Amino acid sequence: METRGDTRMQGYADPGLCRELADRIRAALTGRLRFMEVCGTHTVSIYRSGLRSLLPPEVEHVSGPGCPVCVTHAREIAACIALARIPGVIVLTFGDMMRIPDSRGMSLQQAKARGADVRICYSPAEALQLARANPDQEVVFLGVGFETTAPAVAAVVKQAGQNGLDNLSLLSCHKRIPPALGHLLAGRDLDVDALLLPGHVSTVIGLGPYSFLGREFGIPSAVSGFEPADILMGLYSLVRQQEKQKPEVINAYPRAVKDQGNRAAQAVLEEVFDSGPAQWRGLGRIEDSGLYLAPEYSGLDAWKRFGLEDIEDREPPGCRCGEVLKGKLHPRQCPLFGAGCTPSRPAGPCMVSTEGSCAAVFKYGM
Amino acid sequence: MHTHILLDHGSGGLASQRLIKDVFVRHLGNAVLSSLNDAACLDLSGRVAMSTDTFTVTPLFFPGGDIGSLAVHGTVNDVAMCGAVPRYLSCGFILEEGLSLELLERIVASMARAAESAGVQIATGDTKVVPRGAVDQVFINTTGLGELGEGTPPQGNRAAPGDAVLVNGSMGDHGLTVLAHREGLNFRTPVESDSAALNGLVSDVMQAVGDVHVLRDPTRGGLATTIKEIAEQSGVCIELEESRIPFSPGVEEGCSFLGLDPLFLANEGKMICIVPQDMAEKALQAMRSHALGKRAEIVGRVIQGQAGRVVLNTAIGGQRLVHMLEGEQLPRIC
């Protein structure tokens, strides 16, 4: 009979292995370990697998800024919706973006219901196909995400440029994780002892861009995968660093992450994008944390092509996603949680995103 | 003979008559339907269970099924979940102008095969044709009638502390198959819809157990939503064991890739069966003896506790709550 154990990844959710790792963490723990799981996928995995209940109470977790939808700024959401409402524009997006409301409660999903042409894709490469099939329309890809997805988008931009697809453009809202962590730590308002770093970001950037964490801030960090045993491995590494009082960046996900990352992905990122300041929801302006099309690709920049650069918007009233993203507020402490804000009627992005900490607590929390 | 549906086919005139005779009666014909009266005169006795459902799936054809067989299976299953023996179906078609007649015939022929294999007759029907763009090719409504036997039928409010919760096989196959096929996604391990009529399986389980407390097919919203509904309807707490819930490798892989929770994916050939604990093994054996229940499992239990609460004991030994699906599941960015 086929069982759940038939799939290769199942080993990383093996109860025996997970219990053993949890025991090791308990044995090595010298005091409180309040860690921030930087990535939204970690957040969901921790809640969905019930991993919390395996850990001693001294290990506390705080959700960080690593959910791409959650940190997309209100002005970027407003720009996406404004784009969708321009006649002749087809907006192509990943599904997570559909339900996020702007300050007036309008979302891409609602704009679509009122006639906007918004389509959900599973890969940025679909933009090329869509642009070729609709030569009389403007196809705009919403570039939301971190270093994980940005290289695939960069490759599409490069190809569009090479193929002379002049009806395709990119609304880049991409963000970089390391500068955001530097910003949070430098602000000194982050009460955490260690960082669990996103494995898929490091498959691209490697470990190098995080080296400042130990050097400048003395904070232990570990790059971790997303299965329960991966997360426990990462946590064990953090506990050991704390025990030895030797903060560094440990690769606890070697089956997917090379220390130097993926050179080809780094090269295409570097060619297509320049970094610059970006507004993060709840975190404010962070230098060097945004990815914008380099001058030679500026003709494919939807911000410029559709005159969206001056667009402004503010966060929806009452929404405290910003504090949740800094780990200052547990989702349940938000007055809107579960009443004025649910996954189907979200006030803010932490509830609407699959990877948002509010959505994870709402769906899985005990 | 036209090759595509024209608005004329919905006019009620000669074109409509030809469509009815050449397509619908030719494939679905039986003594009741072929009489072509305004209403079907049926041979039913005692208490009757009735259910209606409308099918709007895209794409129309997918691995493991199509809209035609789905329209039969879906309604047959709804009637069977009340413990009734499904006997008759009605079917209403809304066709888009320009729909290929060959495609329509394939769908109707598939309905005919599904109905025959489920042992139900299509007794009456209706066709409307709407202008191009008003619907997506074809929508089908089916209504089912079935005969209820003696005793209290299985109902959503009858789960009681001490009961066992069973499923007849892997979860989420239909939902992921339709999504993957619609979006042109290929997973390393292929997925196929589980679309099937469950009345035979229901009959075997009812015979083996006698008093089945609850039967439900976890269609849209998946296992999680349906179990939560039952917990609320019955005012009980339900505890599920994640490691006992069967999933096909393709569903596990696809969900991991897309960031979807397989507990919320739709099924079309699966049922949740809640029986008194002392009958659980009998029910399990009855299921496993049937072709549609080979991977049946006891996946949980009904316990004393907060009414409406569903707790999942996770595979790694943790716990989490299970809620209803809120909105549609959307694939994540990374």
Side-chain angles (χ1 to χ4, degrees):
Chain A
M1 193 182 77
E2 289 165 337
T3 67
R4 300 204 70 183
D6 290 338
T7 55
R8 198 166 54 87
M9 295 306 289
Q10 196 55 35
Y12 298 98
D14 176 77
L17 176 61
C18 289
R19 209 164 296 124
E20 187 193 320
L21 285 166
D23 288 345
R24 275 206 237 168
I25 289 170
R26 194 172 286 112
L29 202 62
T30 51
R32 181 190 88 159
L33 180 81
R34 186 171 155 93
F35 74 94
M36 172 175 270
E37 87 267 2
V38 172
C39 178
T41 313
H42 281 151
T43 310
V44 173
S45 185
I46 288 170
Y47 279 103
R48 190 191 277 182
S49 66
L51 189 147
R52 251 258 52 97
S53 50
L54 257 64
L55 294 167
E58 294 82 14
V59 178
E60 300 171 39
H61 77 117
V62 172
S63 295
C67 158
V69 171
C70 303
V71 296
T72 301
H73 195 266
R75 75 175 280 267
E76 293 171 323
I77 304 294
C80 295
I81 293 166
L83 249 182
R85 300 175 96 173
I86 299 173
V89 167
I90 302 173
V91 165
L92 189 65
T93 178
F94 290 117
D96 307 37
M97 292 293 290
M98 291 298 286
R99 292 201 199 101
I100 312 174
D102 66 7
S103 62
R104 289 166 297 280
M106 175 62 73
S107 64
L108 284 173
Q109 192 178 43
Q110 287 174 2
K112 182 171 187 282
R114 293 175 197 196
D117 194 345
V118 184
R119 305 188 195 185
I120 294 176
C121 70
Y122 292 81
S123 153
E126 291 172 42
L128 295 165
Q129 212 180 340
L130 195 62
R132 280 193 203 102
N134 296 277
D136 300 330
Q137 287 180 282
E138 287 281 345
V139 173
V140 186
F141 182 76
L142 303 185
V144 173
F146 301 119
E147 292 92 336
T148 327
T149 43
V153 177
V156 166
V157 167
K158 198 173 160 181
Q159 216 173 324
Q162 284 164 350
N163 297 350
L165 271 177
D166 55 11
N167 65 328
L168 176 61
S169 56
L170 170 72
L171 191 80
S172 180
C173 309
H174 287 110
K175 293 179 176 57
R176 299 174 60 225
I177 285 284
L181 295 178
H183 175 86
L184 278 172
L185 291 166
R188 298 180 190 284
D189 58 355
L190 194 62
D191 177 23
V192 296
D193 307 309
L195 297 172
L196 195 72
L197 301 171
H200 46 20
V201 167
S202 280
T203 57
V204 174
I205 67 172
L207 268 56
Y210 293 123
S211 59
F212 72 95
L213 293 171
R215 200 175 56 238
E216 289 179 30
F217 299 103
I219 190 157
S221 52
V223 170
S224 161
F226 304 98
E227 297 299 322
D230 289 323
I231 293 174
L232 288 165
M233 280 291 289
L235 290 181
Y236 180 60
S237 152
L238 294 177
V239 171
R240 293 279 294 156
Q241 289 181 60
Q242 203 181 37
E243 189 188 17
K244 289 191 285 182
Q245 297 194 325
K246 191 180 167 207
E248 52 190 332
V249 187
I250 296 290
N251 182 0
Y253 193 29
R255 76 172 189 278
V257 171
K258 291 181 189 152
D259 288 2
Q260 73 277 17
N262 180 330
R263 301 269 196 224
Q266 290 164 17
V268 74
L269 270 184
E270 213 161 291
E271 179 189 333
V272 172
F273 291 117
D274 284 341
S275 60
Q279 291 284 350
W280 292 54
R281 183 185 288 257
L283 307 186
R285 181 185 154 107
I286 304 177
E287 293 305 321
D288 210 30
S289 70
L291 290 173
Y292 304 96
L293 286 172
E296 64 174 301
Y297 291 100
S298 65
L300 301 177
D301 190 339
W303 288 102
K304 294 188 174 116
R305 189 180 289 189
F306 298 97
L308 299 167
E309 286 167 302
D310 296 330
I311 211 158
E312 287 299 336
D313 198 11
R314 62 179 74 173
E315 286 166 25
C319 172
R320 295 176 71 181
C321 283
E323 288 164 79
V324 172
L325 291 170
K326 285 183 195 166
K328 287 185 164 179
L329 189 77
H330 187 274
R332 284 194 201 281
Q333 293 172 313
C334 174
L336 297 181
F337 182 85
C341 187
T342 63
S344 58
R345 294 186 64 184
C350 293
M351 185 60 91
V352 70
S353 170
T354 320
E355 299 179 359
S357 45
C358 295
V361 173
F362 184 90
K363 282 188 206 159
Y364 307 121
M366 290 291 286
Chain B
M1 181 71 181
H2 297 288
T3 57
H4 291 79
I5 291 290
L6 309 176
L7 285 172
D8 288 355
H9 285 115
S11 66
L14 275 177
S16 301
Q17 292 300 317
R18 273 191 217 113
L19 181 70
I20 289 167
K21 278 193 183 156
D22 295 346
V23 177
F24 295 114
V25 174
R26 182 154 74 86
H27 289 286
L28 304 175
N30 55 58
V32 186
L33 182 74
S34 303
S35 65
L36 295 177
N37 288 318
D38 281 0
C41 300
L42 307 177
D43 179 19
L44 285 168
S45 59
R47 292 183 304 163
V48 169
M50 177 177 172
S51 181
T52 192
D53 203 348
T54 304
F55 299 83
T56 62
V57 65
T58 304
L60 297 175
F61 292 83
F62 45 83
D66 58 80
I67 191 170
S69 53
L70 195 63
V72 171
H73 295 155
T75 296
V76 162
N77 291 347
D78 285 344
V79 172
M81 293 306 131
C82 301
V85 177
R87 295 280 313 276
Y88 298 105
L89 292 183
S90 76
C91 56
F93 289 83
I94 299 179
L95 308 177
E96 185 186 17
E97 175 189 18
L99 176 74
S100 142
L101 268 169
E102 184 266 329
L103 194 75
L104 179 62
E105 278 213 54
R106 280 172 60 202
I107 291 167
V108 175
S110 171
M111 286 186 84
R113 283 193 299 276
E116 190 185 354
S117 129
V120 293
Q121 284 192 323
I122 292 178
T124 185
D126 176 53
T127 309
K128 294 285 182 291
V129 179
V130 294
R132 186 184 275 276
V135 292
D136 185 5
Q137 299 188 81
V138 51
F139 293 169
I140 304 175
N141 170 270
T142 49
T143 296
L145 294 173
E147 288 173 322
L148 279 162
E150 298 297 314
T152 313
Q155 281 172 347
N157 61 2
R158 293 190 57 213
D163 285 355
V165 181
L166 294 89
V167 298
N168 63 312
S170 60
M171 291 289 130
D173 299 271
H174 177 75
L176 191 69
T177 301
V178 170
L179 172 74
H181 203 55
R182 182 168 64 221
E183 306 300 340
L185 305 173
N186 290 311
F187 307 121
R188 203 173 37 190
T189 318
V191 284
E192 189 172 284
S193 169
D194 58 345
S195 182
L198 295 169
N199 48 334
L201 178 64
V202 167
S203 162
D204 287 2
V205 173
M206 300 259 304
Q207 246 175 354
V209 173
D211 186 21
V212 174
H213 286 175
V214 183
L215 286 175
R216 270 290 167 81
D217 57 341
T219 51
R220 283 179 303 168
L223 179 67
T225 303
T226 313
I227 285 282
K228 180 79 177 160
E229 275 170 12
I230 295 169
E232 286 182 357
Q233 256 184 295
S234 296
V236 295
C237 183
I238 296 180
E239 199 171 44
L240 296 175
E241 295 296 332
E242 188 177 33
S243 57
R244 308 292 307 172
I245 302 171
F247 294 103
S248 63
V251 165
E252 292 217 313
E253 185 188 318
C255 284
S256 162
F257 174 68
L258 295 169
L260 304 177
D261 189 335
L263 290 180
F264 290 111
L265 286 175
N267 308 277
E268 289 293 348
K270 295 293 157 29
M271 65 182 198
I272 295 165
C273 174
I274 300 183
V275 299
Q277 180 61 51
D278 58 359
M279 299 306 283
E281 272 304 316
K282 268 194 174 165
L284 185 66
Q285 289 319 316
M287 279 188 182
R288 287 186 175 169
S289 306
H290 192 281
L292 296 174
K294 290 202 180 312
R295 289 191 67 190
E297 290 286 349
I298 299 170
V299 296
R301 66 199 75 84
V302 182
I303 55 173
Q304 295 283 2
Q306 194 186 324
R309 185 176 165 100
V310 179
V311 176
L312 183 79
N313 293 326
T314 65
I316 64 163
Q319 279 197 324
R320 68 159 152 109
L321 288 183
V322 174
H323 288 282
M324 287 190 195
L325 176 63
E326 287 254 347
E328 209 185 338
Q329 283 205 96
L330 296 170
R332 67 180 177 208
I333 286 176
C334 57

